[in-house]
Amino acid sequence: MIRIWAKIIEDGKIVKSFELPVKNYDYHKFDEYLRTIAENLDIPTPIILDRHIIDFTVYKHTKFIASDFVENISFEKLALQLI
């Protein structure tokens, strides 16, 4: 079993995190994973761009910054890492 570690980062520090267990990572389900993570962290779901999926699938990490959210956010970024 692998996990997606989601971290809310503010001023370079992790202020909140959540680990989503996934049986087998499937990039087709990336939006589903992200919706579950956002719900558990109680934040809006960001807009997913191709680069987010590619970065996460190839490099095992990606980040979402304020411009990736439609709503205003109170943190610097949301970082995802496959562990």
Side-chain angles (χ1 to χ4, degrees):
M1 173 95 41
I2 56 176
R3 298 177 314 254
I4 298 174
W5 183 23
K7 303 169 275 193
I8 294 178
I9 299 173
E10 181 62 44
D11 295 325
K13 297 178 181 164
I14 299 172
V15 294
K16 195 172 185 183
S17 69
F18 172 73
E19 289 184 17
L20 177 68
V22 291
K23 188 168 185 152
N24 291 312
Y25 171 72
D26 180 356
Y27 73 91
H28 291 102
K29 295 182 179 181
F30 188 79
D31 61 333
E32 181 183 320
Y33 301 146
L34 189 57
R35 278 195 309 269
T36 302
I37 288 166
E39 183 179 300
N40 279 279
L41 290 173
D42 196 28
I43 60 171
T45 302
I47 296 170
I48 301 171
L49 303 175
D50 287 341
R51 70 174 172 84
H52 294 122
I53 296 170
I54 293 167
D55 285 350
F56 195 76
T57 303
V58 174
Y59 303 111
K60 311 298 185 222
H61 64 85
T62 193
K63 66 181 176 185
F64 296 88
I65 57 174
S67 61
D68 295 321
F69 291 84
V70 174
E71 301 170 36
N72 289 331
I73 57 170
S74 61
F75 51 89
E76 183 181 326
K77 65 184 169 183
L78 170 65
L80 303 181
Q81 182 179 356
L82 193 64
I83 55 173

